[in-house]
Amino acid sequence: MPEIIVEGGHRLRGELHIQGSKNAVLPILAASVLPEGETVLTHVPVIGDVAVSLEILSALGVSVSLADGRLTLCADSLCGDEVPRELGARMRSSVLFLGSLLGRRQKVRAAFPGGCAIGSRPVGLHLSVLRQLGAEISSGGNGLCGRVGRFTGGVVALPFPSVGATEQALLAAASAAGDTVIRGAAREPEVQILCDFLGACGAKIRGQGTAEIRVMPAPLHGCHFEIPGDRIAAGTYLAAAAATAGDVTVRGIPPEHLKSSLAVFRLLGCRVDEGEDWVRLVREGMLRPVPRLETGPYPGFPTDMQPLILPLLALASGESRLRENLFENRLGLAGELNRLGADIRVCDRLAVIHGVRSFTGSSVAASDLRGGAGLLVAALAARGVSRITGRRYIERGYEEPERNLTALGAAIRLIG
Ligand code: UD1
């Protein structure tokens, strides 16, 4: 079974150029069936979820070629309208092919999307935005099935700023007959990046980064687009520096994308310096507890960073409380952290954490992407050797984590 073996206790020091953003590239790959002609994406992260997306695109008849992070795509020969079940069921973001394939082919079939087991992850908001734009969608034992003459455009109202449902609305709106206004839109950087991509393909979009986005469709053409740095990967390496009393600089990431996470690192007692596209974190003394912290939609503290901060709170000198407001099972790694010596009690969505002086190496199991990365952060800080199973979860979203961490001074190897 593929495992990660970590000998903890080494201080991480050095600099790292951050990989392209997973959560930005996945909706862009779903969008890539829309433009005519060739699209070239650069700084594409070589990660598991991208590999699955490329398999889906190939199965649909899109030509795909990836070398050194440069991905060339052309959907002129697209012929399918079904997301292969086995592939769709492996990844949450496969649901985004609903909007783009309906736009391009006027019909679509797909399995219910899969992805990390961090909560129930319903798709009701996705189906609602597609229906608001004129599609007929049925869902049942055979999965999801949709049909549309042409998306109409109009007003789409979201009762909650879901990242995925906002992206779904953008994909559908980009091929609609008229303008679309998305009210209650998510403001995450990845939504803005999708708008930038669609803009580079010819769509006119206003209001990205606010709760109201207007899409004025136009014929879409291929483009060259660079995938920006991954804010959560950047936050992960900063958390690893904080866990090991290290000194790490991450480059290729605008600090404003990490604002609320940087505020948390400062509350934990770390020194954080920032420049135009870099962040440096230095930890010298003990980590300090954070009495009250909760996750929320952007610009709030991101749920994806929660499992990376949890091990730090578990090493802080006092009691912290952390509430997970987005995904009900996302505190699942607390039990595994307790195997390493942490003292975390979880009641419903609240974790009460009593800081301990150190962790001790042990065998732990990753069961989702960010939770797995949180275990890696904890193992780097632990005395002795840890074995982490479930490596494939971590590889869904991190490009060569062992190489990056080794370059920073970690003692880590992969087996199996
Ligand atoms: C995206 C990210 C994920 C991140 C999350 C929140 C990708 C591939 N994934 O996931 O890493 O943790 O944003 O920042 O970009 N909801 C519904 N019905 C729906 C859709 C969502 O009730 O149809 C609820 C979810 O259960 C959750 C909340 O809305 O409680 C937020 O989910 P959403 O913002 O949609 O997250 P994702 O797009 O799935």
Side-chain angles (χ1 to χ4, degrees), residues 65-83:
S65 131
L66 175 65
D68 297 330
R70 182 185 169 91
L71 176 62
T72 307
L73 299 152
C74 183
D76 290 355
S77 53
L78 182 103
C79 51
D81 47 48
E82 177 165 12
V83 179

Side-chain angles (χ1 to χ4, degrees), residues 31 34-36 103 150-151 170-180 197-206 214-222:
L34 292 171
E36 239 179 63
R150 186 169 179 196
F151 283 121
L170 286 166
L171 295 175
S175 62
D179 292 3
T180 298
F197 172 76
L198 292 170
C201 293
K204 291 199 173 36
I205 303 187
R206 302 282 174 270
R214 174 178 285 270
V215 183
M216 293 154 273
L220 298 181
H221 50 74

